[in-house]
Amino acid sequence: GNRNFHGRIHPYAKQAFLASPPLVIADEPTSALDTDNRAAFIKLLFEECDKQGSTLVFVSHDPYLEPLFPRVENLQLLNRRAA
């Protein structure tokens, strides 16, 4: 994850899109980023997903990011419904 880069965006983050993935799963990608780098990373992620036509599944515990997404699911509620 990003933890090895001490609050900076992983230098190869943009290269992950070279293969034009149909699905991008981002599991807590901003948890170790400062506010400025978090905003820059999310902007980059959205731009690259839009450019490639990739579906983005973004997992986060940060409620402040919820307004950035058109659809938000609570995994605890999903798990309860499935049980």
Side-chain angles (χ1 to χ4, degrees):
N2 293 324
R3 288 174 180 76
N4 296 332
F5 295 93
H6 307 292
R8 295 178 290 132
I9 298 171
H10 191 291
Y12 298 118
K14 191 168 183 172
Q15 290 181 359
F17 288 91
L18 291 177
S20 301
L23 176 65
V24 174
I25 300 173
D27 186 359
E28 295 285 353
T30 60
S31 62
L33 298 177
D34 59 34
T35 303
D36 291 338
N37 282 315
R38 179 180 64 190
F41 175 78
I42 290 174
K43 181 177 185 273
L44 171 69
L45 186 63
F46 286 173
E47 287 172 356
E48 291 300 319
C49 283
D50 285 344
K51 190 184 329 179
Q52 300 293 334
S54 302
T55 297
L56 174 63
V57 175
F58 190 99
V59 179
S60 179
H61 288 90
D62 187 345
Y64 296 105
L65 299 178
E66 285 184 25
L68 301 175
F69 296 90
R71 180 176 171 182
V72 176
E73 295 289 343
N74 181 308
L75 293 179
Q76 289 177 334
L77 293 177
L78 287 173
N79 286 332
R80 284 187 205 134
R81 283 186 231 147

